[in-house]
Amino acid sequence: MEQYYYAVQNGYSVTEEELKMCMDEQDKIIKSASNFAEFEAYYEESGTTYNEYRQRMKEYSRMQFTIKKLYNAAYEEFRHGNDRIGERTCEDFNEYWTYFLLDVVYPATETYNEETLIPLLDEAEAFYNECLGIGTE
């Protein structure tokens, strides 16, 4: 969760358009699987559909894609020569990412102002309620 908080606080949130594009790309990959019919059957046996499941997972996907956006930005920094985290010079990106999390992200989220998340939480709650049909009568 700290990675997500940090990413949101530092402007790496995904837009609705980006989220849709990423989810569509994932769906394309999943639906092209040779055993996708088995997945669909499983969802139907559970009383839902794959598409309904994906809609319910939208906010989770938003978090994952936001963290990926932060990860990609850090990778680009490293790739363009920024191999230092504080006083430490990193040999490869895995080391860079590890120390970026340990020395930058996690300490920053210790003092994170949760007030900046309230609009996002309100939006997520409204979406969740909409999916459940609460407050739409």
Side-chain angles (χ1 to χ4, degrees), residues 47-48 56 108 116 119:
T48 190
R56 287 188 208 113
T116 61

Side-chain angles (χ1 to χ4, degrees), residues 22-122:
C22 291
M23 289 181 73
D24 287 350
E25 184 63 30
Q26 272 188 345
D27 286 344
K28 189 169 128 181
I29 293 167
I30 291 168
K31 288 179 177 181
S32 69
S34 61
N35 62 344
F36 180 70
E38 293 173 34
F39 278 123
E40 279 192 307
Y42 172 77
Y43 286 112
E44 287 176 15
E45 287 173 17
S46 300
T48 190
T49 66
Y50 172 75
N51 289 334
E52 289 171 346
Y53 164 77
R54 288 296 286 158
Q55 240 349 83
R56 287 188 208 113
M57 293 298 293
K58 184 177 180 180
E59 292 309 310
Y60 174 77
S61 295
R62 179 185 314 277
M63 290 173 55
Q64 294 304 102
F65 294 131
T66 297
I67 293 167
K68 183 177 181 181
K69 200 172 185 180
L70 173 65
Y71 178 90
N72 289 342
Y75 177 76
E76 285 302 310
E77 284 286 318
F78 182 80
R79 193 172 75 83
H80 286 94
N82 181 12
D83 62 353
R84 298 181 64 79
I85 298 293
E87 298 300 316
R88 181 179 291 117
T89 301
C90 301
E91 295 296 318
D92 58 35
F93 181 69
N94 287 332
E95 181 182 14
Y96 181 87
W97 179 248
T98 298
Y99 287 112
F100 178 72
L101 292 176
L102 291 173
D103 296 349
V104 178
V105 172
Y106 298 147
T109 58
E110 287 175 4
T111 59
Y112 187 74
N113 180 358
E114 282 123 11
E115 294 295 317
T116 61
L117 263 186
I118 289 179
L120 289 172
L121 292 172
D122 290 343

